[in-house]
Amino acid sequence: MRIDIITLFPDMFRGPFGEGLMQRARERELITIRLHDLRAFSEDKHGKVDDFPYGGGAGMVLKPEPVARALEALRRPEARIILLTPQGAPLTQKRVNALSLEQHLILLCGRYKGIDERIRRRFVPDEISIGDYVLMGGELPAMVLTEAVVRVIPGVLGDSESALEDSFQQVLLDCPWYTRPEEFEGMRVPKVLREGDHAKTKAWRQQESEQRTRQRRPDLWEQFLAEKEA
Ligand code: ADE
């Protein structure tokens, strides 16, 4: 899979994409990520990419021409263009899984007030939001989306911790986890986890997951019950 990211701030990505499993996935070529500076697609001699909004108002709008030029240069027939914006559809694990099956994603990071509306009409990108709050641009959302997608690409996590098992693949929240020592500040690891009975452990984890979900996320609990019925 290839991910092209169009941004005014390519340097923002270097830290998060240069560490840990993300870096390893890139080294092993499970994923190819390319960063593109939007300014490089400006034809203005000062690299201008934004301008005042028609009709007035505070803040700037990204001009359509540099964005269009960048998209035309990077787009291949199989490419899926995604605009990160608070107006987008919520990013969910389901959407992440679906995106992980694509061959080519182009992520477009908005800044300022947003991108000239004609880009939407011309390229009809998918629009994705990472939550109901407003960030200063689409860069962090693009990082979040990329990490979530890369994480479920086969081979990125070890076999034993395959992404298919964890919480949110199965709607429910994750169960509690413990490691050594057996006792910490007077608190002991639950007995069932120390006994080595695989079936009992599995049942305990399922029960804990269900209980947590019911208490913390009634919305997910309803979804779980509905899917169980189906
Ligand atoms: N750009 C600014 N805020 C955002 C959000 N919450 N999700 C996606 N893109 C954004």
Side-chain angles (χ1 to χ4, degrees):
M1 178 194 246
R2 177 187 171 105
I3 303 183
D4 286 292
I5 302 175
I6 302 169
T7 168
L8 279 173
F9 301 104
D11 287 342
M12 279 181 74
F13 292 81
R14 302 200 198 279
F17 287 0
E19 303 275 355
L21 288 175
M22 194 71 164
Q23 162 76 343
R24 213 167 68 135
R26 297 180 76 184
E27 281 170 1
R28 291 160 67 209
E29 293 180 17
L30 298 172
I31 180 77
T32 302
I33 300 175
R34 297 265 178 267
L35 296 163
H36 307 275
D37 188 341
L38 183 59
R39 272 186 219 291
F41 295 92
S42 163
E43 283 193 338
D44 183 89
K45 64 172 183 274
H46 305 293
K48 186 179 165 71
V49 292
D50 60 341
D51 210 333
F52 296 101
Y54 269 101
M60 302 293 269
V61 177
L62 285 174
K63 292 164 68 61
E65 309 95 308
V67 176
R69 229 174 271 125
L71 289 174
E72 291 295 359
L74 297 171
R75 156 158 98 155
R76 295 180 299 183
E78 70 277 13
R80 194 117 169 231
I81 301 174
I82 297 172
L83 172 63
L84 285 311
T85 163
Q87 282 86 51
L91 184 64
T92 59
Q93 190 63 48
K94 232 180 221 134
R95 208 161 258 134
V96 166
N97 296 348
L99 289 174
S100 77
L101 302 174
E102 298 284 339
Q103 289 177 51
H104 185 198
L105 302 179
I106 300 177
L107 307 185
L108 184 51
C109 305
R111 273 271 149 182
Y112 316 124
K113 289 187 91 64
I115 295 180
D116 187 288
E117 185 64 19
R118 289 164 292 186
I119 289 298
R120 284 193 170 89
R121 286 175 48 194
R122 169 82 170 70
F123 293 94
V124 198
D126 288 340
E127 300 186 31
I128 293 183
S129 164
I130 65 160
D132 291 338
Y133 40 80
V134 182
L135 298 165
M136 288 185 274
E139 281 75 15
L140 287 168
M143 289 180 219
V144 167
L145 186 151
T146 300
E147 180 163 319
V149 165
V150 169
R151 181 176 170 278
V152 294
I153 292 175
V156 169
L157 300 185
D159 293 341
S160 59
E161 48 170 355
S162 142
L164 290 173
E165 259 204 34
D166 57 15
S167 95
F168 276 103
Q169 292 294 352
Q170 48 148 7
V171 177
L172 294 177
L173 300 183
D174 208 357
C175 62
W177 292 89
Y178 297 88
T179 186
R180 276 172 288 189
E182 192 182 309
E183 188 184 322
F184 170 71
E185 296 188 355
M187 295 173 280
R188 284 173 72 80
V189 173
K191 190 157 164 275
V192 56
L193 299 178
R194 293 184 270 118
E195 287 171 343
D197 183 328
H198 186 70
K200 267 196 191 165
T201 297
K202 199 170 163 197
W204 181 85
R205 286 180 174 158
Q206 180 70 20
Q207 186 194 318
E208 291 288 320
S209 277
E210 292 186 10
Q211 187 185 326
R212 267 194 176 174
T213 309
R214 203 170 347 108
Q215 287 172 347
R216 298 183 187 189
R217 293 289 303 273
D219 57 323
L220 290 181
W221 181 244
E222 288 304 317
Q223 197 182 325
F224 172 72
L225 294 179
E227 284 182 15
K228 217 161 75 168
E229 299 257 304

